[in-house]
Amino acid sequence: MSDTPHVVCFGELLIDFVPTVSGVSLAEAPAFKKAPGGAPANVAVGIARLGGSSAFIGKVGDDEFGYMLADILKQNNVNTQGLLFDAHARTALAFVTLRSDGEREFMFYRNPSADMLLEEKELELDLIRKAKIFHHGSISLITEPCKTAHIAAAKAARDAGVLVSYDPNLRLPLWASAQDARDGILSIWETADVIKISEEEVSFLTNGEDPYDDAVVKKLIHPNLKLLLVTEGPDGCRYYSKEFSGKVGGLKVTPVDTTGAGDAFVAGILSQLATDFSLLQDEGRLREALKFANVCGALTVTERGAIPALPTRQQVLDSLTRVVA
């Protein structure tokens, strides 16, 4: 575990309760398996599992689930210096139904949960300033005091010259309305150097326009953006920068649970960027890095839950030979 981790991930850490059988509603599920989750925490574990160094900053409840999650981060060599325990709120829970195609529906227990109560004065700003990459999402922008803490953490990163990575990770049920979600996600859009979004999020942020149309995607490119990545599940991803754009194929697998696939993809690309920012200028090497990231995402959908399914570097290397160009 590194004292000066290369990638610091900020946001929520929670427990996903996933039905033991696919294709049923929450009401019909006979039982649930608990799986650690929360997109930024998944990314932190994903990076560490790939051999990189990462930290997580956020808050859990001073409860059994909070201790369990902290232990899981430590077991996976994630720096937890910035992880806090709140005595007055519980660790967040999400019940996640898996449809028969492996896609998900969510029901959250957060009223409020500990992750929403992180305050600016509690931040480990040194951890952020010494990082190479600061990665965050949009869920921590929904309520105070966490919103103010989030904005302060991202500002500390930018002021210190740290590369800022953003995956909005749209979860509509958590926002007051669709318009609130759109406004919230876009409120910090122009502060990011690298943005990863899914095809559905392109459509959502552009009010229903075609996510496969390059002209639509290019509307989301802001003047300081170094790289925009659009993930397309089994079909791989598209990339856009000022100098070049293109598409990189994915690895075809049988999906069991798509939870964490996007986070594994982010871990895959950030783990490589952290060791070499010049990837952003070299299309050939960027394509290789994205092929690696696509395999990270693909391998994650072959198992239930996010963190348990995140691959090791060796597993990714073993599967790279099977990628469709």
Side-chain angles (χ1 to χ4, degrees):
M1 199 181 300
S2 172
D3 287 338
T4 53
H6 287 168
V7 185
V8 171
C9 302
F10 177 96
E12 66 282 359
L13 173 57
L14 53 103
I15 304 226
D16 289 331
F17 282 91
V18 186
T20 50
V21 292
S22 296
V24 295
S25 68
L26 284 176
E28 294 162 343
F32 294 89
K33 177 186 173 187
K34 67 181 196 294
N42 294 342
V43 172
V45 173
I47 288 166
R49 211 166 274 175
L50 292 167
S53 70
S54 63
F56 175 77
I57 293 179
K59 214 176 204 186
V60 289
D62 188 358
D63 54 39
E64 286 302 315
F65 285 156
Y67 302 133
M68 180 195 111
L69 291 169
D71 284 345
I72 286 165
L73 291 186
K74 286 175 190 151
Q75 286 158 17
N76 282 284
N77 300 315
V78 174
N79 178 308
T80 56
Q81 223 178 304
L83 177 65
L84 297 159
F85 296 88
D86 194 292
H88 306 291
R90 293 280 188 219
T91 301
L93 309 179
F95 284 80
V96 186
T97 64
L98 298 177
R99 299 200 311 248
S100 45
D101 60 1
E103 283 297 333
R104 302 152 299 160
E105 292 163 9
F106 292 89
M107 184 164 81
F108 293 92
Y109 283 70
R110 295 170 88 237
N111 56 339
S113 53
D115 58 292
M116 299 157 75
L117 301 177
L118 181 67
E119 295 184 45
E120 183 178 354
K121 64 175 187 279
E122 298 175 307
L123 290 172
E124 284 281 350
L125 291 176
D126 253 17
L127 206 56
I128 295 169
R129 293 186 184 115
K130 288 177 182 159
K132 293 184 175 179
I133 299 173
F134 175 79
H135 175 71
H136 60 161
S138 72
I139 289 171
S140 36
L141 289 172
I142 299 173
T143 46
E144 293 291 5
C146 188
K147 179 181 178 180
T148 296
H150 183 150
I151 290 164
K155 184 179 188 305
R158 280 197 314 281
D159 291 351
V162 177
L163 187 89
V164 175
S165 160
Y166 183 36
D167 174 2
N169 200 38
L170 174 66
R171 293 285 176 267
L172 257 183
L174 294 178
W175 295 85
S177 68
Q179 194 53 50
D180 270 8
R182 212 172 276 115
D183 293 346
I185 285 169
L186 293 173
S187 70
I188 59 169
W189 196 258
E190 299 199 356
T191 63
D193 298 301
V194 175
I195 296 175
K196 173 258 163 194
I197 42 175
S198 66
E199 50 204 327
E200 298 89 356
E201 287 162 343
V202 172
S203 185
F204 176 77
L205 292 171
T206 57
N207 289 299
E209 291 192 52
D210 178 5
Y212 301 102
D213 181 344
D214 279 354
V216 170
V217 176
K218 284 177 179 167
K219 290 180 188 176
L220 294 171
I221 298 174
H222 67 76
N224 301 316
L225 191 65
K226 294 181 171 68
L227 183 65
L228 175 65
L229 298 168
V230 180
T231 54
E232 299 182 0
D235 297 324
C237 67
R238 280 173 285 154
Y239 58 92
Y240 301 84
S241 78
K242 287 192 184 68
E243 288 77 33
F244 42 72
S245 64
K247 183 176 164 71
V248 178
L251 174 67
K252 298 286 185 278
V253 294
T254 305
V256 173
D257 174 9
T258 55
T259 310
D263 304 326
F265 172 87
V266 172
I269 192 65
L270 294 186
S271 66
Q272 295 172 92
L273 266 181
T275 58
D276 188 3
F277 281 176
S278 70
L279 278 178
L280 294 167
Q281 279 83 47
D282 183 333
E283 186 172 12
R285 283 170 48 243
L286 176 66
R287 288 182 64 87
E288 285 304 309
L290 290 172
K291 195 191 285 188
F292 181 94
N294 283 345
V295 172
C296 291
L299 292 177
T300 304
V301 307
T302 60
E303 246 185 86
R304 284 184 201 277
I307 285 175
L310 294 164
T312 63
R313 184 172 177 78
Q314 196 53 51
Q315 285 172 315
V316 178
L317 296 175
D318 291 347
S319 299
L320 266 171
T321 52
R322 298 187 285 130
V323 175
V324 181

